[in-house]
Amino acid sequence: MLLSPGQIVLNRYVIERQIGVGGMGEVYVAHHQTLGMPVAIKVMTGDSSPDLVQRFGREAQLLARVRHPNIVSILDVGQTEGGAPCMAMEFLEGEALDARLERVGALPWKEVRAIGLAAALLRARDTSSPPSGTDATAPPGATPPPAPGAPGGA
């Protein structure tokens, strides 16, 4: 775990707890010191090659341009005290896709369609995404399946 509870990141966010670990980083719940609102802090860990740091930066720039009720907003970007790239994002309570499928079984068609659209957006986000269209920074189980009709999709 890169960050500890109580640690302050980007001069204003107090880390509460870790909520996920993915291929490129860790995600934490924190709160804004002044506003008290919860935020998600995503920190790049491990390999900090220039290409991966650039990809992390592109993700932040893309999130800053997108406004949609189903996509989290980015609030801040910078580095931890240790120099790891990080970003603060809107925090949303939710359920991982694999947990939901296990709990409810088959999803209604409208939800499947929305997940397919989200997967298409993830694939379009960055041409350096893995060939399967998965998000290498998402925690395990959080990545939607390929859209119907897409390579690997139904």
Side-chain angles (χ1 to χ4, degrees), residues 27 56 106:
V27 181
F56 192 87

Side-chain angles (χ1 to χ4, degrees), residues 88-150:
M89 300 176 288
E90 174 184 18
F91 175 70
L92 299 177
E93 292 283 348
E95 182 177 27
L97 179 60
D98 60 346
R100 179 165 170 87
L101 289 171
E102 190 171 313
R103 184 174 58 79
V104 301
L107 297 176
W109 172 245
K110 284 185 178 184
E111 287 185 42
V112 171
R113 185 169 176 238
I115 291 169
L117 178 59
L121 289 171
L122 285 172
R123 284 189 299 276
R125 160 191 92 165
D126 186 343
T127 57
S128 64
S129 291
S132 66
T134 59
D135 179 1
T137 63
T143 305

Side-chain angles (χ1 to χ4, degrees), residues 17-133:
R17 69 186 186 284
Q18 186 181 63
I19 58 171
V21 178
M24 284 182 64
E26 300 175 356
V27 181
Y28 300 83
V29 173
H31 68 271
H32 190 288
Q33 279 185 308
T34 305
L35 303 175
M37 66 186 233
V39 298
I41 302 289
K42 185 175 188 177
V43 182
M44 188 175 154
T45 59
D47 180 12
S48 58
S49 69
D51 286 345
L52 289 178
V53 171
Q54 186 178 32
R55 180 176 174 180
F56 192 87
R58 282 194 312 263
E59 179 180 353
Q61 290 171 344
L62 177 66
L63 283 172
R65 290 191 307 259
V66 175
R67 296 284 182 254
H68 190 277
N70 296 332
I71 299 175
V72 296
S73 296
I74 188 164
L75 306 171
D76 213 340
V77 67
Q79 295 182 341
T80 65
E81 287 181 6
C86 65
M87 63 179 84
M89 300 176 288
E90 174 184 18
F91 175 70
L92 299 177
E93 292 283 348
E95 182 177 27
L97 179 60
D98 60 346
R100 179 165 170 87
L101 289 171
E102 190 171 313
R103 184 174 58 79
V104 301
L107 297 176
W109 172 245
K110 284 185 178 184
E111 287 185 42
V112 171
R113 185 169 176 238
I115 291 169
L117 178 59
L121 289 171
L122 285 172
R123 284 189 299 276
R125 160 191 92 165
D126 186 343
T127 57
S128 64
S129 291
S132 66

